[in-house]
Each structure stands twice: as structure tokens, then as C-alpha cells.
Amino acid sequence: MSAEFVYLDHNATTPLDPIVFEAMVPWLRDQHGNPSSVHHWGRQAREAVEEARERVADLLGVPALEVVFTASGTEANNGVIFGLAAAAGNRGRLVISALEHPSVKAAADRLESEGMEVVRVPPSADGVVLASEVVAALDDETRLVCLMLAHNEVGTLQPVAEVAAVCRDRGIPVLCDAVQAVGKIPVHPQDLGIDFLTLGGHKFHGPLGAAALWIRDGVEVPPYLVGGGQERHRRASTPNVPALVGLGAAAARAAAGVEERYNHLASLRDRFEAGLQAIADSVVHCGDSPRLPNTSSVAFAGVEGQALMIRLDLAGFAVSTGSACSSGVVEPSRALLAMGISPELALSTLRVSFGVPNTVEEVDRFLATLGAVVGDLRQAETAVRSGRRR
């Protein structure tokens, strides 16, 4: 990959921090014990896993005993949703926001097909779900509420604490998918008042395949994976020691310099969005809402987002679109449509997500290239339309 290539898709995944990599190397090369073994090698592996657990707990400000390691945020979300649903005999009501990650949405769809009632609360036009509408969806049969902390496409922050306060009084558990938020903003589940929180290490410069589920002390959820006593019988499976060591190292890095990192990311995002004023008919979605410091969702009227993304990739810039490709058909983002954004504008949307390694110089280069590519695509579209009229 060329040194000139600029990665601006940090909400998809982040590059592995060199310090995290170095922490993992001994467990990939020299150390090979199973943490469940009682001999020297096993004890060393178990100590490494427990140290990683302490580091994740410190990042969240919670007791280490409440942290359960998983292989992904998807697994963690699925584990809570299916576990609580099974305990309720797949009956009752599940309340989710229409902004949730597919790991929550798809789980809800499956449970609905099996007889559980699912209420999907839409966001307002500013990309935020109203707490009052979530509360209005609750009833005496509600088994779980799912509300993410930060949306992965537009970066908007959701009123989790406000919703959780009502749910707590009514004895309704709350699952908060904080995968996009942890590492970018301070996240403390005790302050949010929730019962479950999920995170993924690869979103804050840790390895893929290492994630965690926080479970409030005293809250019970049937294990999703069974067949072993790992994770105090809450998630059976031999731990991926190298990945968990990396997760712990990434958590320690994320816990340090939070304010400095936030200010750096916000300055890049704000510089980018200010520069968009030079590109005609560009629209920043939810720009006035509380958002993650690194995320911009921007549309360019009259430009097909998929074509724009490909052209930018060829020019050396990695971004993503606000659309999804299924069976070869590009469809507008369901989340953007739920916010009242037109299908045409949703299909013209890019997500630009900055990371710690990005620089001001890269932002300026990207703006210059973006303006030129948008102009070229609009000119080409105008020529096509002119030819059709003839």
C-alpha cells in the first residue's frame, strides 16, 4: 500500500496500534498455554487474560468480575438478546431503536418471526431517538430495551441514561451497544444506569476478534455458548489469549489521554466540515446534533455515493458510503431513511470517520481531491442527461 494512501474509515475498523501488536507478539510466538490448564503454561495464560480483563474494566470504570470476554460485539449483542428472550420463552416485548446495529436488528427480526413482539422506535430528523418515545413503547411485558450509545453512520449520541433511568425504575433491563463510542468518548456504564454494554477492540486500535460484554452485578442472563466453565460459566470457549492481551493493551491506551484524543479528532472533523463549504450542494447530516468527535456523514446532491467512493479509493482515500449492497443492488441506508432523508440524498452519502493517525495535511488533501471528483462526476452526469434529452 502506498504511503500516500489515506485511511478515513475508522468507524469500520482501526489500524492495530504498534504497542498493542508488541504486547501480543509473545502470545503469538512463545507463550501457548490454555488458561484452563493448571500447569505453569496455563497459569501464565490465565494471568494474562485476567490482566486484560482488569484493563478493560479500568477503561469502563467497573469491577473486573463484571467483564465477560467475547469474540465480537455482534456475539455480545446476540448473547444478551437471545439469552433474555429464551429465559422469557420468546414471549413479551422487545423495544429497540431503528438505528441499531444489524446484530441487534437481525436478532430482533428473528425473535419477531418466532412470536416475540418487537417495537422499533424511529429517530427524529436530527438522528437522535427521543427518550420519551422509547419510554412510551414500554409495557409490563417488555423484556429488554436496546439503545446504542453512538450511531455508526452519522455519529449521533443517543439518550441512553435518560431511557435507562425509567427502565431501572420499572425493572426493565437495558442493553447498550457502545462499540462505536468506546475509545472515542468516555464511557462509564454505571453512570449510564444500564445493565449490559458491548464493546469491540478493533474500534480503538485493538485486534479483530476481541470484544467484551459488561454485565451489571446481580443481573442474570443465560449463557449463549455452553460446554465449558470459561468466563465464570457465562461464555464457554477457550479464550483467544493473544487477541485478549491485545484488547487489554488497547484498553489501557484508550484510557490514557482521552481529552487530547477527543480534541484531535474533533479538530479534524470540524476542519473537514468547514472545508465542505467550497463544494456546492454538500450536506452534513445531523451536523447540529451531539456526535462522536470523529464522524461526518455528508451527502453531495446529484452524485452517486458508490461511484464517488470508488473514485476516491482510486485516488488514495478510503471512506465508506451511507448505503448497503445486497445481492448486487445498492440500497439507501435504512438509518438515513428513518431520519427522513430522501432515498436520492441517502444514496449520495459518504461516511468519513477520522482516527488518531490522521493529520490536518491529510484532511486538506482529501478536501481538494473530493471537490475535484465531485465536480467531475456531476459534469459527467450532466453530459449523460444532455445526451438523453437529444
Side-chain angles (χ1 to χ4, degrees), residues 209-390:
L213 165 65
W214 171 79
I215 304 176
R216 179 187 291 279
D217 184 38
V219 176
E220 297 294 332
V221 57
Y224 183 50
L225 295 178
V226 296
Q230 295 90 350
E231 298 299 303
R232 297 174 180 85
H233 296 277
R234 294 177 295 188
R235 193 260 189 185
S237 188
T238 301
N240 183 346
V241 179
L244 294 181
V245 168
L247 174 60
R253 296 284 284 172
V258 175
E259 183 176 356
E260 180 181 0
R261 183 167 59 252
Y262 182 99
N263 290 337
H264 171 65
L265 294 174
S267 68
L268 297 178
R269 181 200 65 189
D270 293 347
R271 186 180 185 92
F272 168 67
E273 292 182 357
L276 290 173
Q277 296 177 18
I279 304 176
D281 297 322
S282 58
V283 178
V284 177
H285 299 311
C286 310
D288 294 327
S289 301
R291 291 180 292 158
L292 293 174
N294 77 315
T295 306
S296 286
S297 176
V298 58
F300 303 91
V303 176
E304 203 274 313
Q306 201 79 2
L308 179 56
M309 180 190 70
I310 293 170
R311 285 283 300 273
L312 289 171
D313 183 54
L314 293 173
F317 296 92
V319 296
S320 65
T321 63
S323 59
C325 183
S326 177
S327 301
V329 178
V330 177
E331 300 176 343
S333 159
R334 292 182 180 179
L336 295 180
L337 295 180
M339 296 173 202
I341 295 169
S342 70
E344 294 77 18
L345 202 59
L347 285 170
S348 297
T349 296
L350 288 183
R351 182 189 68 187
V352 182
S353 47
F354 300 97
V356 173
N358 292 133
T359 65
V360 167
E361 185 271 337
E362 289 176 339
V363 172
D364 292 344
R365 282 173 47 207
F366 178 57
L367 281 166
T369 301
L370 179 62
V373 172
V374 167
D376 288 347
L377 289 174
R378 283 177 173 162
Q379 188 174 20
E381 179 63 21
T382 299
V384 169
R385 289 179 179 177
S386 176
R388 287 173 182 166
R389 284 195 293 268
R390 291 180 190 146

Side-chain angles (χ1 to χ4, degrees), residues 4 6 23 32 35 42-43 147 229 282 319 324 326 357 365:
E4 296 299 311
V6 178
H32 52 266
R43 292 197 305 272
L147 183 59
S282 58
V319 296
S326 177
R365 282 173 47 207

